[in-house]
Amino acid sequence: MSSAQKSYKKPYYEQVADKLIEQLKKGTAPFQKPWEPGNLAMPHNPVSGARYKGSNAFWLQMQEREDPRWMTYKQAQSIGAQVRKGEKGTLIQYWKFTEEKIKRDANGKPVIGADGKKVKQTTKLDKPRVFSASVFNAEQIDGLPELKKVEPRWDQHERAEKILAASAANISHDQEDRAFYSPSTDKIHLPTKEQFPTADNYYAVALHELGHWTGHPSRLDRDLTGSFGSEKYAKEELRAEISSLMVGDELGIGHDPSHHAAYVNSWIKVLQDDPKEILRAARDAEAIKDYVLSSEQKKTATVQASAKKETPVSSVDEAAQRLAGSFKNPADAERFIAAVNKNVAQRVQHHYHDQEEELER
């Protein structure tokens, strides 16, 4: 091996793709393993309280640790814990698309606000910046409290049903042993609930198909033109599987991969041809999860607007929350929220748009 080969360090996306290909061949990738309700928790940082997202969440899950808690060396020290000597960290990357600067007037002097402090403003960076960090799993750290297992929510099925209903997706229970989404008719087809072994299994399948439903041009507008067995089809299934894992964990309904084993070879080929595809797939999966779960939040906002005749509470769009408060008539508030709902896909896409540009470089 030459000195140049020895010094070469694979980019983050190649490391992720290589490990995923290895796990796909073994059948141990996160979305290839069945997860019982309550037995999976997505990677999160117990110090910052944030959940890791996109490719970072998927990458950390691929490390096959039993504990979902991850943090930096300094963060561990900040809470009185200590990474054990000799432990190796796991690389993650995150993007910065904006930065906060002091606002200045035409003469270049800082603008002072009514509170006497310098006014700050957030500006979009001309070119996104990527930052790397090394994080350690709780299993590599001494001095942490014992992990508390989160029991399945008692209302997880009720919540899943509300999400399906709030989405307003056209769902027909007209199949014997198939479940699929038809882009041409914009319709989800499922077997009847009684044909599934458990309620968890039914909702996992239904929400998987709802993930495909988000790809319609009027929503997240993904390429759904691929026929079964094609590369485009495999890419869409990869996104749906990763998002299913995320949604299943969020709702506590588990994850059943048995229906999608046929795509393994196609996924391996896609990743071998273009390792960056895993970053795009994880990013899109995060957008799918956000869109699916947002239907529940939007429905709650609309109901509150009608019942209380006050500003609806919507975590989907803070601007909508403020503006809806100006409507005195609940019906007007409902129509306004409906307009926001129609355009939610554009918001979600905007959230991930800059990453697409950077990934294509």
Side-chain angles (χ1 to χ4, degrees):
M1 182 181 294
S2 66
S3 59
Q5 288 175 312
K6 288 181 180 180
S7 62
Y8 172 74
K9 187 175 182 180
K10 287 186 177 181
Y12 169 72
Y13 64 88
E14 284 191 19
Q15 294 181 49
V16 179
D18 286 352
K19 191 172 183 69
L20 180 54
I21 289 172
E22 176 188 330
Q23 291 187 346
L24 283 170
K25 291 178 178 178
K26 294 179 179 178
T28 59
F31 53 80
Q32 284 181 292
K33 296 184 292 185
W35 297 99
E36 295 297 326
N39 287 349
L40 174 67
M42 294 299 289
H44 62 274
N45 189 311
V47 180
S48 67
R51 182 181 69 79
Y52 292 97
K53 296 184 177 182
S55 59
N56 285 331
F58 192 54
W59 173 234
L60 293 179
Q61 217 172 8
M62 287 165 59
Q63 305 309 307
E64 300 182 284
R65 297 284 188 176
E66 295 296 325
D67 198 307
R69 296 174 294 176
W70 295 81
M71 67 201 79
T72 66
Y73 187 93
K74 288 185 177 180
Q75 285 178 324
Q77 287 188 318
S78 72
I79 57 174
Q82 181 63 51
V83 175
R84 288 192 292 274
K85 186 177 181 179
E87 292 287 357
K88 185 179 179 181
T90 299
L91 176 72
I92 61 170
Q93 287 189 343
Y94 56 98
W95 297 85
K96 186 176 181 181
F97 300 98
T98 61
E99 67 178 350
E100 193 176 65
K101 290 184 176 180
I102 294 175
K103 187 175 182 180
R104 298 183 181 277
D105 59 22
N107 298 318
K109 295 182 178 180
V111 175
I112 306 300
D115 58 0
K117 298 180 180 179
K118 295 178 181 178
V119 176
K120 294 182 178 180
Q121 61 181 4
T122 300
T123 59
K124 184 177 179 180
L125 294 172
D126 293 332
K127 183 179 180 181
R129 298 174 188 168
V130 62
F131 295 85
S132 298
S134 184
V135 294
F136 296 85
N137 184 262
E139 295 175 5
Q140 301 172 286
I141 304 171
D142 292 324
L144 290 177
E146 184 179 349
L147 176 66
K148 294 182 179 180
K149 183 179 178 180
V150 179
E151 296 297 328
R153 291 171 52 118
W154 64 269
D155 63 342
Q156 72 264 33
H157 299 150
E158 179 183 350
R159 188 182 175 196
E161 186 65 40
K162 286 181 178 179
I163 288 173
L164 291 173
S167 71
N170 189 346
I171 301 176
S172 290
H173 296 84
D174 56 2
Q175 299 297 304
E176 287 294 329
D177 57 1
R178 292 198 308 158
F180 63 93
Y181 165 68
S182 172
S184 61
T185 59
D186 192 23
K187 193 172 183 179
I188 294 172
H189 297 268
L190 299 170
T192 60
K193 292 182 180 180
E194 292 73 23
Q195 290 175 266
F196 290 86
T198 67
D200 288 315
N201 188 261
Y202 167 76
Y203 287 113
V205 172
L207 290 167
H208 175 97
E209 299 308 328
L210 191 67
H212 286 306
W213 171 87
T214 67
H216 190 271
S218 66
R219 299 174 197 110
L220 297 181
D221 193 18
R222 294 188 307 279
D223 187 350
L224 302 178
T225 60
S227 58
F228 183 82
S230 67
E231 180 179 303
K232 289 182 179 179
Y233 197 96
K235 288 182 177 181
E236 171 62 16
E237 280 299 331
L238 182 60
R239 285 153 172 75
E241 273 297 88
I242 297 174
S243 66
S244 292
L245 191 68
M246 295 175 175
V247 173
D249 180 63
E250 171 71 23
L251 300 185
I253 59 175
H255 176 67
D256 179 9
S258 60
H259 303 289
H260 307 96
Y263 307 118
V264 172
N265 289 334
S266 297
W267 288 335
I268 290 174
K269 185 179 184 305
V270 165
L271 295 171
Q272 288 175 333
D273 291 344
D274 181 7
K276 279 190 176 181
E277 179 59 22
I278 185 56
L279 300 189
R280 301 186 189 100
R283 176 210 58 210
D284 288 350
E286 191 77 43
I288 291 171
K289 185 211 73 169
D290 288 347
Y291 193 99
V292 167
L293 297 180
S294 72
S295 61
E296 177 187 32
Q297 299 166 336
K298 291 179 292 181
K299 183 68 175 179
T300 299
T302 304
V303 171
Q304 289 177 341
S306 298
K308 298 183 179 180
K309 297 184 180 182
E310 61 183 27
T311 304
V313 177
S314 173
S315 60
V316 176
D317 195 328
E318 293 184 4
Q321 179 186 131
R322 293 195 299 270
L323 292 172
S326 63
F327 295 109
K328 295 181 179 179
N329 189 329
D332 291 337
E334 282 193 50
R335 282 191 288 271
F336 176 75
I337 294 297
V340 173
N341 294 351
K342 185 177 180 180
N343 289 287
V344 69
Q346 295 176 350
R347 282 191 313 94
V348 175
Q349 284 181 304
H350 176 73
H351 180 71
Y352 296 95
H353 172 73
D354 290 328
Q355 295 183 48
E356 176 70 29
E357 180 182 348
E358 186 66 22
L359 287 170
E360 294 296 340
R361 291 177 183 158

